[in-house]
Amino acid sequence: MRPAIKDLLQLSDGHLFEEVATGVRLIVEHAENLESTAVRLRVIDEHRAAAIVGALAKEESAKVLILLDLVRCPRNNQDGRSKTVQAFGNHLAKEIYADACDWRPVDFDEVTKIVNRERRPYYLDGPSDVGWILPNYAKARRENRMYVDYVQDITVEHGEYGWVSPLPDSLHREHGDATPTCLVVARALHRVGMTTPEGLAAVADLWRGFEPQPQTTRQEVQERNYNSLVRVSQAHPNREVDPKDARAVCHHWPFPLWSLDLRQSGPARADLAEIRRQRAEHIEWLLKRASERDPAPLITREKVEELTKAHSDFKLEWDRLIESLPGHRDSGLRIVSGSVRSYGLESYERLRRRVGNLEVEELIDLAALGWFGRQPESGWAHWHQHARRIISDASVGYVCGLGQHWMTGLRLWEGPPQLPARLTIGGATG
């Protein structure tokens, strides 16, 4: 036997609809069986195995969407039909089809941009969006669930080597166990009668004259999805349709993708060189932003030190109070102005009085130092502008809540410019 999915292109419509109907029935049955197995594995805490089986259920479900696209594609569009059957055996294409059920694009132009992004051999991610260069997300996500592998960090040339392994059961458990949306959609399309020979004929009649343009909206596609339900209901007048299935078809059956190239873009080596260049430019920009020190804070170091000491005194008294309360570990009490003042802590009132005695410009700078100390990646100039927009003499309680970050921010402002420490991960220079 040989794979013969491409031979579907040679069939007449009548024969094609019969073969697709048979294939969809088998695919849905198989995907549901896989998903049921994944559910049983989760029950006995075999979450790693459940993730693998669940991923296979998702991938199989995508085949239903691909076959429906073959029916939706005009018969005279040989390029579109050929791309669609090629997607049937392409892992990346199936991941894209499956993920498309969860997208909420405004129009087909956005769909095209998402697809092109998903096809990239490499992409930037991590701290400040440039921490690491990673391989194609959809393919890596699939393979990382299933395989142990020996890999090299490609963020820089001559990166370090190491082993990677699928997540342990404990971490898989944290990611939840929802049924993939694409399986929900595939099952719904099958249940409403869309995938019978008669239903497929109705789909072909409605969709083959439609080719999405960049400005085609998601609402237009959803309306056509609804019209497909109406046509199929007319072909199966005695079939009852579950409202949940109807909603899944109308709202989650994605744009036709037959006009798009779903293969990985390339060449990979040239793309890697380009993305390294982009990364270097962004890191240079981050360093430039980190060197910005204007305007200088008007509040003196002496005042920041005094206010930080007052905040530490308050925090110590607050922690003692929380420790003394019954069930304090689960109390969820936070340092929020209103709730803190209700406990009448003298240390907090002293802190508020000192902060409240600052000039407004000093209060603005104190808030900016707190934010800068908490998130230096955004730069001093950004936080100073932000503080100037929103801080006023009525912001005393809020600024008090930033107390643990005031000195950190001041030390960063006084020190040499540097990249966020996390950017040194993965071979980045910083």
Side-chain angles (χ1 to χ4, degrees):
M1 300 179 69
R2 67 174 177 85
I5 193 69
K6 293 182 180 179
D7 292 348
L8 290 176
L9 299 176
Q10 311 304 320
L11 302 180
S12 65
D13 272 348
H15 195 182
L16 174 66
F17 299 157
E18 290 177 358
E19 291 291 354
V20 169
T22 300
V24 168
R25 176 178 56 81
L26 295 172
I27 292 168
V28 171
E29 177 185 311
H30 183 43
E32 289 186 321
N33 182 269
L34 289 169
E35 179 63 14
S36 296
T37 301
V39 171
R40 291 195 297 272
L41 286 168
R42 294 184 193 109
V43 169
I44 60 173
D45 282 339
E46 294 289 349
H47 294 274
R48 183 189 294 196
I52 295 172
V53 177
L56 291 174
K58 176 181 176 181
E59 190 172 306
E60 282 293 284
S61 302
K63 292 180 178 179
V64 174
L65 306 180
I66 293 169
L67 290 175
L68 265 292
D69 257 13
L70 178 60
V71 173
R72 293 200 285 186
C73 182
R75 280 197 69 94
N76 61 359
N77 191 321
Q78 297 304 318
D79 180 63
R81 299 181 85 222
S82 178
K83 287 177 181 175
T84 304
V85 294
Q86 289 174 17
F88 193 85
N90 184 307
H91 291 309
L92 175 58
K94 285 183 283 189
E95 288 284 336
I96 291 174
Y97 261 100
D99 290 343
C101 294
D102 291 304
W103 298 344
R104 295 293 180 271
V106 174
D107 51 30
F108 191 63
D109 182 58
E110 186 175 355
V111 171
T112 304
K113 290 176 181 177
I114 296 173
V115 167
N116 288 335
R117 184 185 67 209
E118 294 298 298
R119 296 194 308 120
R120 296 173 302 176
Y122 307 104
Y123 70 101
L124 282 168
D125 203 356
S128 299
D129 297 325
V130 293
W132 309 289
I133 296 176
L134 301 173
N136 179 274
Y137 174 72
K139 288 180 64 178
R141 178 181 59 186
R142 178 184 185 274
E143 293 173 2
N144 289 345
R145 286 193 193 105
M146 300 185 182
Y147 309 118
V148 172
D149 202 0
Y150 188 61
V151 299
Q152 182 185 20
D153 179 4
I154 57 174
T155 303
V156 294
E157 291 190 62
H158 313 299
E160 296 181 356
Y161 290 85
W163 289 94
V164 294
S165 176
L167 292 175
D169 286 333
S170 58
L171 291 181
H172 273 297
R173 188 182 302 116
E174 297 175 5
H175 289 274
D177 53 6
T179 300
T181 305
C182 60
L183 173 54
V184 174
V185 174
R187 184 165 49 204
L189 289 165
H190 185 55
R191 285 176 175 172
V192 301
M194 201 85 73
T195 60
T196 65
E198 297 81 9
L200 293 168
V203 169
D205 184 58
L206 181 64
W207 284 89
R208 283 183 176 174
F210 171 78
E211 179 173 354
Q213 301 301 310
Q215 68 275 15
T216 302
T217 65
R218 181 160 62 99
Q219 182 178 350
E220 292 177 67
V221 171
Q222 289 178 341
E223 290 173 355
R224 195 168 286 265
N225 290 348
Y226 174 76
N227 291 334
S228 300
L229 279 172
V230 174
R231 293 280 190 95
V232 170
S233 296
Q234 292 170 348
H236 300 286
N238 297 322
R239 182 187 291 263
E240 292 188 10
V241 175
D242 188 317
K244 291 182 181 179
D245 289 335
R247 285 194 294 272
V249 171
C250 287
H251 296 290
H252 294 283
W253 189 16
F255 277 80
L257 302 181
W258 50 260
S259 62
L260 303 180
D261 188 349
L262 304 184
R263 297 169 298 179
Q264 181 174 292
S265 59
R269 183 169 296 180
D271 190 80
L272 181 57
E274 172 61 18
I275 205 167
R276 280 178 178 159
R277 184 192 65 78
Q278 294 173 7
R279 180 174 183 270
E281 285 186 355
H282 192 76
I283 290 175
E284 184 178 344
W285 176 80
L286 287 173
L287 276 171
K288 180 180 179 182
R289 186 176 65 180
S291 67
E292 295 174 350
R293 290 294 184 267
D294 293 328
L298 295 177
I299 187 169
T300 65
R301 172 177 251 277
E302 182 181 10
K303 283 188 178 180
V304 176
E305 290 176 342
E306 290 175 354
L307 291 169
T308 299
K309 175 63 168 59
H311 182 274
S312 298
D313 292 343
F314 149 66
K315 185 63 167 56
L316 182 62
E317 187 177 4
W318 175 256
D319 288 342
R320 287 172 179 166
L321 170 66
I322 298 303
E323 288 285 337
S324 69
L325 296 176
H328 65 86
R329 299 186 197 286
D330 302 316
S331 65
L333 289 173
R334 300 170 55 220
I335 302 178
V336 178
S337 177
S339 63
V340 173
R341 297 199 80 178
S342 68
Y343 283 88
L345 299 181
E346 178 56 31
S347 60
Y348 186 67
E349 293 305 321
R350 286 197 300 270
L351 174 64
R352 279 185 63 91
R353 284 195 296 271
R354 291 189 178 187
V355 173
N357 287 333
L358 296 174
E359 299 292 334
V360 174
E361 292 294 329
E362 293 177 313
L363 189 65
I364 289 172
D365 288 342
L366 190 62
L369 288 172
W371 285 323
F372 186 47
R374 186 175 61 183
Q375 190 178 336
E377 293 91 338
S378 297
W380 166 252
H382 167 80
W383 288 123
H384 191 272
Q385 292 169 8
H386 183 63
R388 184 163 292 279
R389 284 195 301 270
I390 72 169
I391 297 299
S392 69
D393 54 7
S395 307
V396 171
Y398 179 82
V399 178
C400 286
L402 296 169
Q404 63 188 18
H405 305 291
W406 294 332
M407 279 305 301
T408 301
L410 182 59
R411 293 189 189 103
L412 286 170
W413 187 89
E414 294 173 336
Q418 59 184 4
L419 287 173
R422 295 187 299 275
L423 263 186
T424 61
I425 297 173
T429 57

